[in-house]
Amino acid sequence: MAIMEQQSKLEVEDVSLLVVVIDLSTEQPFLQDDKLSLTHYLNAIITFINSHLMLKACNRVAVIGSDYCRNKYLYPDEKNKLNIRQTDSQYEMFTLVEQTIRNNVKSFFNDDSSKDDEDEPSKLPSLISGAAALGLCFINRIEATFMSKDNLNSRILIITGSLDFSHQYMSLMNVFFAAQRQNIAIDVCSLEAELKLLQQGTDITNGHFLLVPSANLSGLVQYLLWVFLPEPPLRKHLIVPPPVKVDYRASCFCHKQLIELGYVCSVCLSVFCKFTPICMTCHAVFKSHILLPKKIKKRKVNSGSPMSVSGSMRSK
Amino acid sequence: MDEEEGNEYRWESGYEKTWEAIKEDDDGLIDSAVADIIQKSKRKRQEERMQNARLGMMRHLILVLDGSDSMLDQDLKPTRHLCTLKIIEGFIEEYIDQNPISQLGIIVTRDKRATMISELGGNAKKHIAALKEHFGNQSSLSGEPSLMNSLNLAINSLHMLPAHTSREVVFIMASLTTCDPGGIHFTIQNAVETQLCCSVIALSAEVYVFKKLCQMTGGKFNIILDDKHFRDIVYQFVEPLTVSQQKEASLVKMGFPHHLNIDEKEAGSTLCACHLDSQKPPATIGYFCPQCHSKYCELPVECSVCELVLVSALHFAKSYRHLFPIPPFKQLNVQETSASCFACAKLLKSQDKYIYECQRCKNLYCLDCDVFIHDSMHLCPGCVSDQNLLTTQIDSPPNPS
């Protein structure tokens, strides 16, 4: 009954825009260990995208491929538009989406021009933050063509098997805050690990985080259809995995440890777990009224080096 | 939009010139021309924003609102008062959202007096509620404003703050007069000595003493043209100001509390320290101060028991974008191109007048994406799609000098 009411609110013309970010890094552990082949992985995603397009005739989709050195649109491809004719009575749109994605994935792997000259591929994780930023720009472009933003539900789904995105912290955070302001949900489907940073993102933007158990990777399509197919307004009526608990403690810049009590530089907002006289990040010299008496005491005990240290600090 | 341009008075140049600048496009519409003008002024401001400048990240800003009867004038629609109210409400939310570890206070001056209607704090809802209660009613507007009284009140509440924070006062004045009980120049001198940065937004015309105040304290004096311009000026104060190099730096002790959900059967629900006096029902979820274990339902907050500032890592992440602004893109005037926008995959056609290029990653962007990237995302998608540029971006910290 409740779903019926909700659906009457969701107008028939409401369009759902889905941006899928696919991690195409060959370094993903599930590809390395042969738990899931690339073909199987792509097939699952294409099936999911087709199901999304099947829900409503006006639903839109964009697909972005990402690896450690570039991000590229796989669909839509406005430069080389395929001319699709109906073949085995399949809906033309499905054939178009599938063919475009497959062609572009092929060229994604063949086009090595942008990769580094070194022969061995980098172990760095994919540039997911850039891909999600592209997704936001794409959503912004589509939104501009709609008279009222209420008619468009947009979301981003990130499917990744990479392990650690901590070096993209700042850019990912910017993406999450931008998505939050635009009311765009970011969903993450992780194939390998509990990605703390991306969990924060799903928490900020009211999206879902799902870790597919490594034993069940071959059933990826089922997980995708089950959790990520319903649009965010419909999800509250469904029983989906409970939201993950996210830890928002800061980690200190000096030892990279999570802390509860810390010291923050007033100039660059670096976090330290202990008091330091000079900020390691921006080299600002801190004045401290608490520290001074200690220094004087030291000077009395041994008149040698500590004096020159404290003296040089103040003169800076 | 810019008053300093040329030596003519505004009423001499008038509206004719603005209309001359507007050209109809192929469909006979002027929308694109108007958007163009707004776009140009935005770009100008972007370029003014210096990189690697030292910013006052922990801000304390006091808004002084004119509550005199000159707020009732109808030159802004529907009245100056309602227009201001609407803009200020939006500003408070934006300010708190963009500067999560900063604080805001509101003073209203009417009947020759000044009252603090909302003490310095970081809770947008509280400020807006206070604003509606004390400034929302038209009938409360009466008498004359007092610059001196409100300035004194602002000095009193700001002078005790630690030296590393920025102390800003923004006056929104509709009246052309001020009623002061003593010599205003002494008060201005006082403000200079307490290192206040006072800015005035005048709703009617230039007033000597307001301008003098801004000059002495290093603030900006603005006169509004219309409601859109008013909004534009007010929203400039969302961005943190650059501060002098002599400003002290210090390490501030802060707490990063856990978000805990105590099992109801185990400990039962408890009241939070921030809502002791209100009717909020006890809850099991809350943040606990790592120093004294008092409970709060929202962050950021200053612990009312041990005065520790409690924040979460997210608040810092939000502030970092001020420290690492993305440089403005270079405008290219390309006639024919087969390229597509890097960010949104739109084909760049000849009818797109301008194409923008990021100077770091050399990717091309369309106008819409340029605006979106600089206004909302604060992140160049091209630069973060390149492993080398990504790492250099993080390694270059803001320069303190």
Side-chain angles (χ1 to χ4, degrees), chain A residues 68 71 73 141 181 260 264 282, chain B residues 98 252 256 343-344 385 400:
Chain A
Y68 73 93
N71 291 310
Y73 276 95
R141 166 188 159 194
R181 283 172 72 100
E260 280 209 316
V264 179
C282 68
Chain B
Q98 297 295 315
V252 187
F256 303 92
C344 70
S385 297

Side-chain angles (χ1 to χ4, degrees), chain B residues 99-168:
Chain B
N99 306 284
I101 44 174
S102 303
Q103 297 194 327
L104 184 85
I106 307 171
I107 292 175
V108 169
T109 169
R110 64 166 81 95
D111 288 331
K112 310 177 183 80
R113 261 176 267 161
T115 30
M116 193 89 175
I117 61 162
S118 190
E119 296 281 339
L120 277 175
N123 190 335
K125 278 179 215 150
K126 237 177 175 171
H127 288 309
I128 290 173
L131 185 75
K132 279 191 177 148
E133 193 187 336
H134 298 280
F135 190 67
N137 200 346
Q138 288 220 7
S139 58
S140 67
L141 304 174
S142 64
E144 280 180 286
S146 172
L147 179 65
M148 186 175 164
N149 286 340
S150 37
L151 196 56
N152 270 331
L153 193 60
I155 292 173
N156 278 342
S157 44
L158 289 175
H159 85 281
M160 284 298 284
L161 292 172
H164 62 265
T165 59
S166 79
R167 303 162 180 184
E168 299 162 48

Side-chain angles (χ1 to χ4, degrees), chain A residues 253-280:
Chain A
F253 285 31
C254 38
H255 305 93
K256 305 272 174 226
Q257 273 168 346
L258 287 174
I259 48 168
E260 280 209 316
L261 259 177
Y263 295 89
V264 179
C265 167
S266 70
V267 178
C268 65
L269 303 182
S270 308
V271 183
F272 302 104
C273 56
K274 282 195 195 110
F275 187 89
T276 52
I278 297 173
C279 173
M280 281 186 277

